[in-house]
Amino acid sequence: MHNRRSSSFSSITELFRPNNPRRLRSRDLSSTRLNALKKEIETNTHLIPLKDLYTRLGTDPVKGLTSDAAAELLEYYGPNTLTPTSHFQWPKMLLKCLFTGFSILIWFGAILCLLSYVIESSMKAHPSTDNLYLGCVLIAVDIICGLFSFFQNFKSSKILKTFNNMIPMSAKCMRDGVWNAEMPVAKLVKGDIVHVKAGDVIPADIRIIESKGFKVDNSSLTGESRAVTRSNTEGTTNILESQNVAFFSAQCVEGWAFGVVLCCGDLTALGRVAGLAARLEPAPSPLCREISRFMWYMSIWALGLGVFIAASSFILGYPFIQTTIFVIGIIVANIPEGLQPTITASLTLTAQRMVKKNCLVKNLEAIEALGAVTIICSDKTGTLTKNKMCVRDIWTWNRKYSILDPDFKDSLTNNKAIEALKTCGALCSSATIDENGEIHGDASETAILTFLCTYNDPATLRQNYPKIVEIPFNSTNKYQVSVHFDKSMSRYVVVMKGAPECILSRCNTVVVANNNVSITNEIKEAANKAIEDLATTGERVLAFADLILDPKVFPTNYEFDTEEVNFPLDGLRLIGIIGLKDPPREEPALRRADIGISMGITGSQVSKQTADIILMDDNFATIVIGIEEGRKIFDNLKKSVCYILISNVPEILPVLMFILFSIPLPLGVMTILCVDLGTDMWPAVSLSYEGAEADVMGRPPRHGDRLVSARMLYLVYGHLGLIEFAAGMYAYFTVMAEHGFYPSDLFGIRERWDNEAVTDVRDSLGQEWTYEERKELERACQASYFVAVVITQMMNGIICKTRFNSIFEVGMKNKVLNLGLVFELLLACILCYVPVLNDFFCTYPLRPQWWFLSVPFALLLLGFDEFRKYCIRKWLFDGWYNYLTYY
């Protein structure tokens, strides 16, 4: 058993054992596993002779593993499956949906409601149930909105399930000298002997023992859909390019092969890519960042205003219960509860339309991101093994250089360490440069020479330093070394590159500034820290060193021997470290991009799992359709948000009027919820059905354009919202006046109005009103205010159809919006006239004439907005309205 666990994979394998032997916390274990997956695969299991491999794995090529040994390995290392990561567990996702953004404020308001009901119950024999109902409604709102978001997110987060669909269910495996053609793939372990034939999917990473015409399709890993030959040949340094290895999930398209299992589950090439894709958090989309920003501002504003109202109420002498009600009213009025469901519903509707255009959207927020793109980066699909490495960072003593830094070129001048690194990098390389200047070699060496060609001429350097002998790189030594003759100085130079820990242990000095100094513990710690930092970011790290040989000991006619090495390989001078981009990470790119797009037909499975959008017809021009949809949805989202925010003004100001001027409450908290989550919802969502404006593709890419801008807020809070508030207060004062309470007599009346003990409040005509009569009138006034908001919001729904064009030019072609406006009116009628509902929401069966009190204000809204848009189109008043209100 000891031999079977002693391969070079043993340390990383321990991290993926099911029993967590290191006793790491879940978060630490996941982070450690992630760092391990980022590192390049380092193993010699494809290089050593097969008989040595059998010994290491404890297996027999004829009989395979024994059942006992296989069972022991299975129990120790776990099944041959891809392990899902903890941060996709649905309870965590559900909690995140329930307790983020505005939902936290709504929970806070619900707790305050229930707390005030409990306190009032302890103080009164017959407490009002309004706060209890309100608290329950707020909780229901949070749960419904959270479940809606959870359902949408849960569908797009199951990355590993689609990976597991690529894995075969059974394999032909040798155990105890007997072939089992129905061995479950999950029960395969390292050392198993397997047989695959045309049509089979490779059940694990295997090394080929024997084959005939064996070809595999590696497109699931590389994206290249061509068959490649695999056979029992000598392996290459990079296991991903080695022809004697076939990988998990590749399909056998021709011939057959026997192989021995090298890796299972998470440690296979596919498992590493799946682990990276699943564990790395995708970058938030521009829309997500915009919504988060807006939510933070609105939350701070709501809480700040709530604190101000609470302080003012205590100063004015209001009791705790009443102050709590004020704060709840302000918070509920400030939070656009319907915003998140509206945005999600709008994106979902757009995604459904895009499917009909052969564009499958996995991440809803990615739709809007398309409209903001400034650059489209196209990447060839063969990103795993097709020499895509490039130099990213350079480290010399006490300084790190990034080639992406604009000042990088300036740092190269008069730098002895950089000059030595250029020379060593050009000489210590097996890559070749042909007469056309093209570089041929493995991925790392090609990347280094390509980088050097930008700053000097490696070919000329090689002519000035002809190679004498070379010891190629191998996985045992982990270094490459060569001896060159310096023509200008008539002396030999040893150059070495390889694994940093190997090179560092062979160096006595280091290049510091323009001198060479002895390596100290401080220098070693700094070098190790630099190595760790580069490796953590997923870069392949190589160290470089050199040594000038003494001409007296090594004269020009000295014969170097690489078998019995007769020249020094220790006591070298450390030059520096180069970090190269790791090719398997070209796909964590789709995860880190604002939006990742994959081809549906020829795209690799890896890219399709990590992408946000898949072009089902592989037509690059489909992206243009997506960009148009993205721009349209951003425009329409602006319209929806503007429409939702307008009603905030007539919801906030009545509470302030109630507190500051001590009038009977014009609009109740329950009625506010009727607007936000009832009458406003359908029209807000239906605005996403608006067609694209004529200039949508003629505009430059959106840059710095906010979903909620200062211009929108000025228009909402300084113009349209105030007109709507005026309509509501006009209806409120009119109903009060019709019953004898003139506006001048309402100011300062609240304390007596809300006192149950006072039964003789006199109106302007001298009539006395009991508490029950006053509260019935208050409900009628609040209902009339509510209806005024509904009527004016219907007009605002029409106004918000366009941001630039006249409504008379666009027309009422949006049938969904038309139905939404009718629904808004019908719902208001139902809430007012259905007995059970008007009791619960504190509304009232209104007289017919009260429905028309707000019509003049609705017409004023239309006239004002048409005038504003006319001024914007004609650039009147030196563009005053453009700068002020064109959102």
Side-chain angles (χ1 to χ4, degrees), residues 586-605:
E586 291 298 327
E587 297 290 0
L590 281 173
R591 288 285 278 174
R592 289 300 188 188
D594 279 339
I595 176 171
I597 303 176
S598 172
M599 298 297 179
I601 300 174
T602 60
S604 70
Q605 289 296 329

Side-chain angles (χ1 to χ4, degrees), residues 19-318:
N19 295 329
N20 187 10
R22 298 190 182 185
R23 299 294 186 265
L24 294 172
R25 292 185 305 172
S26 176
R27 180 179 300 176
D28 294 337
L29 179 62
S30 181
S31 176
T32 307
R33 285 175 171 173
L34 178 61
N35 290 332
L37 289 173
K38 287 179 182 177
K39 297 177 181 177
E40 189 169 336
I41 301 175
E42 294 183 3
T43 181
N44 64 350
T45 52
H46 62 298
L47 298 174
I48 62 175
L50 278 171
K51 61 178 182 178
D52 295 339
L53 180 61
Y54 299 146
T55 303
R56 177 180 294 182
L57 297 175
T59 190
D60 184 280
V62 178
K63 296 183 178 180
L65 291 172
T66 65
S67 297
D68 292 340
E72 185 181 357
L73 285 169
L74 185 64
E75 181 181 3
Y76 188 80
Y77 289 119
N80 177 33
T81 56
L82 302 182
T83 307
T85 52
S86 60
H87 69 262
F88 283 120
Q89 290 178 350
W90 68 265
K92 184 176 180 180
M93 186 185 298
L94 178 59
L95 289 175
K96 187 176 180 180
C97 292
L98 288 174
F99 298 97
T100 54
F102 287 143
S103 61
I104 296 177
L105 275 184
I106 300 177
W107 282 113
F108 178 67
I111 292 172
L112 286 180
C113 287
L114 298 178
L115 180 63
S116 62
Y117 174 75
V118 171
I119 295 174
E120 190 176 3
S121 298
S122 63
M123 298 172 61
K124 295 182 179 180
H126 301 287
S128 172
T129 57
D130 289 352
N131 285 329
L132 175 62
Y133 293 157
L134 179 58
C136 294
V137 169
L138 290 176
I139 292 173
V141 167
D142 249 339
I143 292 176
I144 293 171
C145 293
L147 288 176
F148 188 70
S149 298
F150 167 75
F151 177 72
Q152 296 297 334
N153 292 332
F154 188 69
K155 290 193 300 182
S156 61
S157 68
K158 298 179 179 178
I159 296 176
L160 285 178
K161 283 196 173 181
T162 48
F163 272 110
N164 283 323
N165 291 336
M166 299 157 55
I167 299 171
M169 300 303 295
S170 61
K172 189 174 182 180
C173 173
M174 171 74 74
R175 294 267 178 91
D176 299 317
V178 178
W179 284 106
N180 182 355
E182 299 298 326
M183 174 67 69
V185 167
K187 293 187 177 180
L188 288 182
V189 295
K190 287 194 300 181
D192 268 328
I193 307 298
V194 296
H195 177 260
V196 289
K197 62 185 185 302
D200 291 345
V201 177
I202 311 300
D205 287 358
I206 63 173
R207 179 169 171 182
I208 308 303
I209 299 173
E210 181 185 353
S211 65
K212 184 175 182 179
F214 184 55
K215 292 184 178 180
V216 296
D217 180 359
N218 274 338
S219 60
S220 61
L221 284 171
T222 67
E224 299 290 344
S225 354
R226 61 186 180 89
V228 292
T229 301
R230 290 292 182 260
S231 60
N232 181 12
T233 59
E234 186 175 350
T236 59
T237 302
N238 188 344
I239 189 172
L240 295 174
E241 299 172 354
S242 189
Q243 289 194 0
N244 63 357
V245 177
F247 296 104
F248 194 25
S249 82
Q251 187 172 26
C252 174
V253 292
E254 289 183 27
W256 55 264
F258 293 102
V260 57
V261 175
L262 299 179
C263 293
C264 297
D266 294 314
L267 295 180
T268 60
L270 175 75
R272 285 168 171 265
V273 178
L276 284 174
R279 284 177 170 84
L280 293 183
E281 290 287 346
S285 70
L287 179 62
C288 184
R289 293 194 291 267
E290 274 296 295
I291 294 173
S292 298
R293 167 183 166 274
F294 173 62
M295 284 183 173
W296 271 108
Y297 287 164
M298 289 299 294
S299 299
I300 292 171
W301 164 250
L303 287 175
L305 193 58
V307 171
F308 170 75
I309 292 301
S312 302
S313 300
F314 280 125
I315 292 173
L316 293 174
Y318 287 104

